[in-house]
Structures are given as structure tokens and as C-alpha cells.
Amino acid sequence: GTSCAPGDFGSPLITNTHTSGDGSALNSPAVWALDPENPARIFVATCRLWRGASDGTNWTSANTLSRMLDGNNAPTCQSSNTQVSALAATGAIAGRGDQAERIYLGLAGAGDGAFTHPGHVLTALVTPSSVAASTTWRDVTSSAVTNDAIDAEIFNRASARVSSIAIDSTDSSGQTVYVGIAGFGGYGFAPLTWSNVPTLYGSTDAGSTWRNLTNNLPNTPVNAVLVDPENPSIVYVGTDIGVYVT
């Protein structure tokens, strides 16, 4: 509330120790989110994904839900690993007895120094009992952008950072998702040398196909995307120069 002060928050609940030292190799703070399936749990994304108690208790290496998402595996994140830059989770999907939820992860881009899988998006179904060894991550970056012939139907061909992932909470299947890209074109900065750099994508099939939704958005990075929880036809997009709405 308005009376909160820095001292009211106490000591950090999740530290570098909880993630086996992954934080030592990160270029920016880890992405995190409370688990919508159970807010007593928290997701923390480094170069891999962790899930554990949000009060920081009983964390071990068994709390990982993935290995290094760029495929360059090691006991802990290395400076050469591509960092996760965006995270979203659906909460338990209706009609499933296993309480599975769908998670989407976006990776840092070439401009962030990422060399392996820059700007990729991955997704997986996880249950409350899932661990890294039992979770299958699907890289949906190679899925066709069906309305973007200009870019040869390639998703994020500039390999820019995935800045935001937003899920339509009214889609009980968890398959409707929006992805914001922190890229821009026409300024000669490699690899963003094209005049057309899409910065907003959408999918209604969990990334099996994409649509370029950039349309009349300005040529500037997208930093945040939000779907109106009461009216999913309204989507807010925050950019470097302002907020836009459908």
C-alpha cells in the first residue's frame, strides 16, 4: 500500500543460492512470476526455469523445470548461455485432470549478446509434479508467420529480444498468446538493418503458427504487452515512445 517503505520488505526470499549460482552469470535481473496455478509457488527464469516455494523454503536442484534453454548445458548458467527475458504461465488448464499449465518463455536477443537461439520462444506443459527431466520444451520460433510474406513467414528474423509475453486468460486452453519484440529497423544497427522489423506477434495455437500483428505500431521496440482480462479483444502495447491499444 501507500504506507510501504523499503524496510518493510525485509531480506530477499529468493537469492542466487536458491538457483545454484545461476545469477552470477546473468546480464540483467532474473525474470520471475508467481505461479497462477498456485501463488504459493514462484517461477524464476535464469538461463533455465526454476519453480519453488515463493517463501524460499526447500529449494534444491530438483526445482528446475528445464535444462539450459539454449541447449548449451552446464551445472550452472555460464556467461555464454542465453538468458530468459520473458515469462508467462496460464495456470491450470480447464478440463485436465493433471492440473497442467502451459508456460511460455522468451529469450534474450542478438543485441543483448546472445549467440545461441537469440530471440527464440519456447513452450511446455507442466504439472505440479513436473521436473526438468519430465518436461518437454518445444521451440516455436520456426513456426510460420502466416500473414508475413515480406519476412518470408519467419518469426523474429531480426533475432531481437523477446521483451514480453502475454496470455489471453479467457482462452481456457492457454493457447492464445501475444509476444512483444524489443526491436526496430532501418537504423543500420546489425542485425536490425531491415526497414521492416515486426515487434508484435500473436498465436491461437500455442505457437504452432503465428501472425504478425505489428500493423500500424511505430518503428520502435515493444517493451510490454497486456491483454484486458475482461475483454480479450483489447490489447495494450507499451513501446519506447508510448502505450498503444487495439
Side-chain angles (χ1 to χ4, degrees):
T2 57
S3 62
C4 285
D8 296 326
F9 290 94
S11 301
L13 293 176
I14 309 298
T15 68
N16 192 34
T17 302
H18 288 79
T19 59
S20 298
D22 281 359
S24 300
L26 302 185
N27 294 319
S28 57
V31 177
W32 65 273
L34 290 177
D35 185 348
E37 197 275 327
N38 180 357
R41 294 193 300 252
I42 189 172
F43 293 112
V44 177
T46 55
C47 70
R48 50 184 168 175
L49 183 64
W50 297 77
R51 178 182 63 187
S54 56
D55 64 2
T57 58
N58 300 318
W59 279 61
T60 70
S61 59
N63 285 92
T64 55
L65 285 174
S66 76
R67 301 186 74 186
M68 284 55 184
L69 289 152
D70 64 2
N72 296 320
N73 293 304
T76 189
C77 289
Q78 307 296 304
S79 59
S80 57
N81 284 123
T82 300
Q83 186 174 339
V84 177
S85 55
L87 159 68
T90 63
I93 296 172
R96 294 185 63 108
D98 57 1
Q99 294 184 288
E101 61 182 323
R102 182 167 291 281
I103 299 176
Y104 298 90
L105 298 174
L107 302 187
D112 303 307
F115 294 102
T116 308
H117 301 331
H120 280 218
V121 174
L122 301 96
T123 185
L125 284 173
V126 301
T127 68
S129 62
S130 291
V131 294
S134 64
T135 304
T136 300
W137 289 92
R138 181 167 60 99
D139 190 330
V140 293
T141 314
S142 61
S143 299
V145 184
T146 58
N147 67 332
D148 194 358
I150 293 177
D151 292 297
E153 299 190 346
I154 297 172
F155 179 92
N156 191 15
R157 70 168 180 150
S159 299
R161 171 167 39 91
V162 177
S163 59
S164 182
I165 301 176
I167 295 170
D168 176 2
S169 61
T170 68
D171 178 0
S172 60
S173 72
Q175 297 193 81
T176 300
V177 62
Y178 297 86
V179 175
I181 303 294
F184 59 97
Y187 291 87
F189 297 110
L192 308 179
T193 54
W194 307 288
S195 60
N196 177 62
V197 174
T199 53
L200 182 65
Y201 294 96
S203 176
T204 56
D205 53 17
S208 292
T209 58
W210 297 101
R211 288 184 64 80
N212 176 4
L213 304 178
T214 308
N215 295 330
N216 65 327
L217 286 173
N219 181 25
T220 189
V222 164
N223 302 311
V225 183
L226 176 67
V227 182
D228 190 312
E230 296 185 357
N231 184 352
S233 65
I234 300 176
V235 178
Y236 299 90
V237 178
T239 75
D240 274 8
I241 62 173
V243 178
Y244 294 78
V245 62
T246 55

